[in-house]
Structures are given as C-alpha cells and as structure tokens.
Amino acid sequence: MAVSSCYAMRAFPSFECRSDPEFHGQEIPTSGGRLKSGPTHLSFGLSSMILRFPPDFVRQLSNKARRNCSNIGVAQVVAASWSNKQPPQSAAAAVASVEAAIGTAYCKKNENIIDSNKNNDSSVVDVQPQVNPLSFLSSDGSLAIHAGERLGRGIVTDAITTPVVNTSAYFFNKTSDLIDFKEKRRTSFEYGRYGNPTTVVAEEKISALEGAESTLLMASGMCASTSLLLALVPAGGHLVTTTDCYRKTRIFIETILPKMGIKATVIDPADMEGLEAALEENNVSLFFTESPTNPFLRCVDIELVSKLCHSKGALVCIDGTFATPLNQKALALGADIVLHSATKFIGGHNDVLAGCISGSQELISTVRNLHHILGGALNPNAAYLILRGMKTLHLRVQQQNSTALRMAEILEAHPKVKRVYYPGLKSHQEHHIAVRQMTGFGGVVSFEVDGDLHTTAKFVDNLKIPYIAPSFGGCESIVDQPAIMSYWDLSQAERAKYGIFDNLVRFSFGVEDFEDLKADVLQALEAI
C-alpha cells in the first residue's frame, strides 16, 4: 500500500511546529518520549544530526510555509544542513531554509530514510531502525490507549488526541514528485480511498492488540467480510463456513458468491469430521466463521481448525467481533486473519460504523488491493471515533464480561427462562473450548424465555434500561428478539431451520451498574 510521507516518520521523532516564543528553551521529545530542559534541538538518534531552531522562527514563516508545516499529514520539515557542527543560523536564514525544505523532504518507510529533494544540496540521512517504543507495555489496556499514537504516530502534532485529517486527496509539489511516487521512490496516499493518516493510527492500534503485521479498516463489518471473501476465494473456488453466523454474511455466501461459481460447505461449529471431509473432497481456499457465533455464541476450536486447514493449504478467518481483541487472540491460536465489526465493542459507543481485518502484511495487502477498487473507505471522522472508543475498550470489556457472566448465571436459574447461551456457563456446549482460548466471555447473552412470540415481546417491552435495537457491544445495553429484528421476513418454519425460535432474546449488556440491570431484567421477567 502507498502510505503518506508522514506515516513513515515513526522511525524517528517528528519535527513539531509551535508558535510559542519560548520554544527555544525546550527540547522536542526524543524516542524515549521525555521532555528535557536544555538547548533546542531535534534528535534523530544521530549524534551528528542535531537541528537548531532560532527563537520565533515559526512566526516568520510565510503563511503557506507555516500552513504546510502545521497541517497534519501534509509535510515533514527536515533541515539537514542545520547540525550541531555549524554556527546557529539567524531567524531569517532559518526561515529561508525551512521554506525551501517544505514539500521537498519525504520519508521512505520501508528503508527508513529521509531523502531530500534531488535539486538541493541536502544530504541523504540514513536512519537506523528503532525498537518498537511501546514494546515495554505488557497490558492490552495500555496498548488500547497508546498503541499507534503516543510514540509512534506519524502525524505531526503535540496534541494528546490524534487529529482528524479531513482530505479526499494528497497533492504533489511538482510533476517530478508525482513520477517519483509512481515509480515507488516517494510515498503518498495519493487519494483518500487509498488511505488516511488518522485511519492509519487506528489500524496500528488494532494491529498491536491483535499481534498482527497489518490491519485494514473499512466502512463497515459487512464491507470487511465481503471484501475479504471476494479477495481470498477465487472464482470457482470453495469455502467452508458454519451454520450459526450473522445472517447477512450467510446471505452473501448463499446468494452472491455462487454467481462467481464459488461453492460453500456449511458445517456445525463443532463438526471437525465434517471439516476434514470438506477439506479432503474439495479444493478449499478458506474456512470462514465467527467465534463466538451470532446469536448462539458457539465457539470454534481455532487451534484445531487452523491445523486441519493449513494441512490442506486452506486459510482460516475468524470473525472475533463477539470476543473482542481483549478476550481472544485468534492469530496467536493459529488463524490467518481475524475480522471485527468495529461498530460493536471496538467502537463501543453505538455511534460509528466500521469493520477491520488483521493478519499478515501479504494477506491484508491482497484484500487492500481489492478494497481500493471496491471503495467502502472509512471516513477519517469515523476513524477518530474508533480511536476515541478504544481508549476505554479494556474498561468497558471488563465491566461487560463481569455483568454478562453474572446475569447469565441468574437467567439460567430463573424459572421463566428455558435456556441460556453463554460460553462462560458450564452448560454451554463449547465451554471447554472457551475457557481454553478466551480470557473473558464477552458482553452478550442469548436466552430463550419460557413463552411464545408475544410473551417474549412482552418481556422485552417491560425492560426499562436497554434499547430495542440491532447491534451490540456499546456502552448502552441493547436487547432484541431475533425472530422479529433480523428474521421477520422468514416464516416461523424457515426461522426454525436456523434455530431462531420466537422466544429467543439477544441481550447486549452495556456498562450500566450491574444491580440496576439485574433489577430491570428480574422485574421484566416477573411481568410475563
């Protein structure tokens, strides 16, 4: 993927423009992230590469130069001629040098170098690869806050929060720069559909949590699912999926993929013999499933599935939306790709649509290339909301895990509840798998009320806290009756084929107080 010049700057600290008259008395943060008193300099980790900036020089920049310098994601200003071996420049000389450098300096991420414009006398500076500045963080909670941002953000700013880069295209200063980009000597996003600095930060945060080489964010979870399936399953190919899954994913597999000659074998999530037979009898490209699944929260043995599929050359994609990156590490268990509807727990506030896939650079690039054609790019404002939501991901998930498990136990013991589906319960048929591959069991509980469609609807209507709505994973609790919400267009008999009975309820617990939620659920059950 082509990336912006600023994105590549994570190999060294960014130069930051400030209008503070006293800026000359401070030091730019080094790779360690600390501010030290002393003379002004920007260190790239090279003893011979110390840049000195006279006081008030930013104020003297022309409006165009200052705008290019301060606008995030537009340009990195590198004045290689300013070294600690030279006498300090005057403010006027500094202004001239900076204005000459703006728009000509750029980075090559893969080679970790700064290459100045060929037409000036600035030398090329080789920057040695640095250790991941966040490698000392051992907690997913800390990574959810800082990964991709504090010490690795490629956007030039000293703001705590990552700014939104609202642009649909990226400019080139001259035709030769464009040609350099086309011939891969210069990096750029080029066009908004191909990437955005704000989105890159969110992608890197998710990659850090998943332990992935690369992540691609898209406009929705379904955009992520459909793009992945189209990119990784060839025309006339074969895939394996499971009976319990998100309905729109099933519709795409059953009605759209066959138009390209793609066939699917559908197995029960626990049917490993069925998987082995499908792998043996067909040239399977991909095993695609959710774990836990929607809405019965079935769990697939990811490690076993991965071994079976890899032995036959098939890829494994796990939709981990219900699990979140905190409760389950699908890639560490052997999966090739993990997918999320970031609309749910990752965003966490019921205010953004997004989807993402994470995995190896090679696989994600394959999907990315098709995604650039199909569109479905994530708006940078949505990327900002994803970043904002992830700052509290670990706190929200801890609360939702706890509330859901306690409520599942209460519901299972209640006389007006026939059955509860939650992987944290010993009664769940894949509980033994869940305890082995999950650290928490999620915030969604499905259960069957002891009654018919109307009795169940009465229970739902008597709840005071949750909203009756689709989706899940947000701060607000949400409840829905799948027979009405997602399967109403099917007859009762057709719904039953998928196990969707009229008395089924899916309850997504938010971060409200547990006692309040408990009291609300109990009073609603008493009302039926």
Side-chain angles (χ1 to χ4, degrees):
M1 167 190 166
V3 295
S4 72
S5 59
C6 293
Y7 174 36
M9 289 297 287
R10 68 178 54 83
F12 46 82
S14 300
F15 165 60
E16 304 176 33
C17 293
R18 303 187 186 183
S19 57
D20 183 358
E22 299 302 318
F23 184 38
H24 62 284
Q26 298 178 349
E27 182 182 286
I28 301 291
T30 65
S31 59
R34 298 187 183 90
L35 284 171
K36 302 177 183 178
S37 60
T40 302
H41 69 272
L42 173 61
S43 173
F44 291 116
L46 303 172
S47 59
S48 63
M49 185 64 181
I50 300 178
L51 313 183
R52 301 183 182 281
F53 305 98
D56 300 335
F57 85 97
V58 172
R59 252 187 323 180
Q60 299 182 51
L61 293 174
S62 68
N63 289 335
K64 179 179 179 181
R66 186 160 57 243
R67 182 172 65 249
N68 284 338
C69 179
S70 60
N71 274 4
I72 50 179
V74 176
Q76 290 284 359
V77 179
V78 180
S81 61
W82 299 352
S83 74
N84 58 347
K85 296 180 181 178
Q86 298 172 338
Q89 293 180 312
S90 66
V95 169
S97 297
V98 170
E99 291 191 345
I102 287 176
T104 66
Y106 65 97
C107 316
K108 288 187 177 179
K109 175 174 179 284
N110 293 335
E111 293 83 1
N112 288 322
I113 66 170
I114 301 175
D115 189 3
S116 60
N117 189 280
K118 297 177 183 178
N119 296 324
N120 63 36
D121 296 328
S122 297
S123 60
V124 176
V125 181
D126 290 318
V127 180
Q128 297 299 320
Q130 295 186 353
V131 177
N132 177 5
L134 294 175
S135 61
F136 67 94
L137 296 177
S138 60
S139 165
D140 279 346
S142 297
L143 286 174
I145 296 171
H146 294 296
E149 298 193 74
R150 183 167 184 174
L151 301 179
R153 183 165 55 199
I155 298 178
V156 187
T157 176
D158 56 4
I160 292 176
T161 55
T162 295
V164 181
V165 182
N166 274 318
T167 185
S168 60
Y170 304 84
F171 71 87
F172 298 89
N173 285 300
K174 52 188 180 296
T175 301
S176 62
D177 291 347
L178 174 58
I179 294 172
D180 283 346
F181 165 70
K182 292 296 184 180
E183 296 184 354
K184 304 189 185 304
R185 293 187 296 272
R186 173 184 291 268
T187 56
S188 172
F189 285 116
E190 184 187 15
Y191 187 58
R193 192 170 72 248
Y194 306 145
N196 179 278
T198 309
T199 304
V200 165
V201 174
E203 289 173 341
E204 298 228 328
K205 190 182 294 292
I206 295 169
S207 288
L209 288 174
E210 291 289 4
E213 290 180 356
S214 181
T215 291
L216 172 60
L217 269 165
M218 290 175 261
S220 69
M222 276 307 300
C223 181
S225 297
T226 55
S227 297
L228 179 143
L229 290 169
L230 289 172
L232 299 183
V233 183
H238 200 103
L239 68 92
V240 178
T241 189
T242 54
T243 51
D244 191 32
C245 67
Y246 178 52
R247 189 183 176 205
K248 291 297 190 293
T249 303
R250 179 189 294 117
I251 290 173
F252 183 77
I253 291 173
E254 292 179 345
T255 64
I256 306 300
L257 291 184
K259 295 179 180 179
M260 287 164 276
I262 297 174
K263 297 180 181 179
T265 297
V266 183
I267 63 171
D268 183 90
D271 186 6
M272 293 300 98
E273 291 183 359
L275 174 59
E276 288 183 279
L279 292 168
E280 193 67 38
E281 297 167 7
N282 306 281
N283 184 20
V284 176
S285 301
L286 178 71
F287 176 80
F288 180 91
T289 189
E290 303 158 15
S291 188
T293 60
N294 183 12
F296 295 109
L297 305 168
R298 301 287 302 278
C299 294
V300 173
D301 189 332
I302 300 173
E303 186 173 7
L304 177 57
V305 162
S306 298
K307 289 179 179 178
L308 293 174
C309 289
H310 292 163
S311 69
K312 295 296 184 179
L315 298 172
V316 174
C317 176
I318 301 296
D319 183 335
T321 301
F322 277 85
T324 79
L326 303 189
N327 286 333
Q328 180 176 275
K329 306 290 187 184
L331 299 180
L333 292 166
D336 299 288
I337 296 177
V338 60
L339 181 147
H340 293 278
S341 170
T343 305
K344 312 304 192 293
F345 289 100
I346 288 178
H349 289 75
N350 292 318
D351 60 2
V352 62
L353 289 173
C356 64
I357 57 170
S358 302
S360 69
Q361 184 72 45
E362 181 181 3
L363 285 175
I364 301 305
S365 294
T366 299
V367 182
R368 193 187 301 275
N369 290 336
L370 179 62
H371 168 64
H372 287 172
I373 297 171
L374 296 178
L378 187 70
N379 185 283
N381 294 279
Y384 173 83
L385 290 176
I386 294 295
L387 286 168
R388 187 282 317 272
M390 291 185 71
K391 299 296 177 67
T392 58
L393 178 63
H394 65 298
L395 300 175
R396 291 185 284 105
V397 169
Q398 287 173 8
Q399 175 75 5
Q400 289 164 311
N401 285 345
S402 174
T403 296
L405 178 58
R406 295 167 72 184
M407 285 305 307
E409 293 170 342
I410 291 170
L411 288 165
E412 190 172 47
H414 200 283
K416 293 185 178 180
V417 175
K418 292 180 64 175
R419 184 175 180 181
V420 179
Y421 303 92
Y422 188 69
L425 296 177
K426 293 182 179 179
S427 59
H428 191 278
Q429 64 190 100
E430 279 95 36
H431 175 70
H432 63 290
I433 295 175
V435 296
R436 189 172 69 245
Q437 66 186 25
M438 300 180 73
T439 56
F441 305 109
V444 178
V445 179
S446 295
F447 55 95
E448 294 173 357
V449 173
D450 188 9
D452 59 11
L453 182 79
H454 300 289
T455 302
T456 306
K458 184 178 181 181
F459 161 74
V460 170
D461 289 344
N462 274 281
L463 291 165
K464 308 298 181 185
I465 294 176
Y467 292 90
I468 302 173
S471 197
F472 57 88
C475 292
E476 301 88 355
S477 289
I478 284 178
V479 66
D480 78 88
Q481 196 172 346
I484 299 175
M485 181 67 72
S486 304
Y487 289 83
W488 188 247
D489 58 312
L490 301 182
S491 67
Q492 188 180 53
E494 290 173 322
R495 294 195 295 265
K497 292 178 182 178
Y498 300 109
I500 306 297
F501 297 105
D502 293 343
N503 61 345
L504 180 65
V505 173
R506 190 184 71 177
F507 203 123
S508 172
F509 290 98
V511 296
E512 300 95 347
D513 181 76
F514 168 75
E515 293 298 332
D516 288 339
L517 285 167
K518 174 184 173 182
D520 190 27
V521 171
L522 292 178
Q523 67 82 23
L525 286 171
E526 289 304 313
I528 61 176

